[in-house]
Amino acid sequence: MYVWPSAVVLAQYLWKHREELRSRTVLELGAGASLPGVVAARCGAKVILSDSDTKPLTLQNCRRSCDANGLTEVQVLGLTWGDISPDLVLLPELDLILGSDVFYEPKDFEDVLVTVAFLLQKNPKAQFWTTYQERRSRLWVLFNCRCVLAPTGRSRCCSTGGT
C-alpha cells in the first residue's frame, strides 16, 4: 500500500488536534491506505472509512489497515464521489469529514465537491479538513477555505464549512 504525502500531513495535523477528535464521528473520503482515518480512530473518534464502491481492492486495503492497527469498530463503506447513494444519505450525523489528496485529478473536483457539499448541508455543524499537494491551482482560494500551511511546506491543511 502506498501512503500519499498529503495523507501523512493530515495524519500529523489530526494527531496535533487529537483532543478535538475524542468521541466525534469522522468520515474519511477517498481513504485508500486510511492513515488519517486510522489516526483519528486511535485518537478516540468513531470513524467511517470510505473509498470508491467500484474499487473493491481499495476497500480491502482500508480493512487491512484497520486490522493491522487493531481497529475492529471502524466501518468501511463504498462511496463514489458525486453519487448521492443510499449509503451516503444514511450516514450517521458527522462532526468531521476528512479528505487527503482528494483534489488530485481535476476531472474529480466537481464530484468531490458535490459529495462534500451534500455532507455539509446534511451536517451543518461538521467541518471538512483536507490536505493536498499544490499541483495545478490554488484550490484554497477558489473555495474560500481557511488554510494552515503544514510544517512540510509542501501540503496545506484546509477546512471549510460548519459554524
Side-chain angles (χ1 to χ4, degrees), residues 54-128:
T54 63
K55 297 181 179 175
L57 292 178
T58 303
L59 294 171
Q60 185 178 39
N61 284 341
C62 293
R63 288 185 189 91
R64 287 174 42 207
S65 291
C66 292
D67 291 345
N69 286 281
L71 299 170
T72 58
E73 300 297 316
V74 173
Q75 181 182 357
V76 176
L77 189 61
L79 295 176
T80 298
W81 301 331
D83 182 12
I84 309 302
S85 67
D87 285 335
L88 186 70
V89 172
L90 294 173
L91 283 171
E93 185 175 330
L94 301 172
D95 299 300
L96 186 58
I97 303 157
L98 303 176
S100 65
D101 234 349
V102 293
F103 295 107
Y104 178 77
E105 285 290 341
K107 68 177 180 55
D108 294 330
F109 289 6
E110 185 175 345
D111 288 338
V112 172
L113 290 172
V114 164
T115 301
V116 171
F118 173 83
L119 291 168
L120 290 174
Q121 185 173 13
K122 184 177 181 255
N123 302 277
K125 293 182 182 179
Q127 293 184 336
F128 175 50

Side-chain angles (χ1 to χ4, degrees), residues 15-54:
W15 180 252
K16 183 178 177 185
H17 296 274
R18 62 189 170 271
E19 296 301 320
E20 298 174 44
L21 298 174
R22 194 165 292 128
S23 301
R24 294 184 77 190
T25 303
V26 176
L27 170 68
E28 183 178 5
L29 296 173
S34 311
L35 180 61
V38 165
V39 169
R42 299 293 291 188
C43 291
K46 179 183 177 199
V47 174
I48 303 164
L49 300 174
S50 71
D51 213 302
S52 175
D53 60 3
T54 63

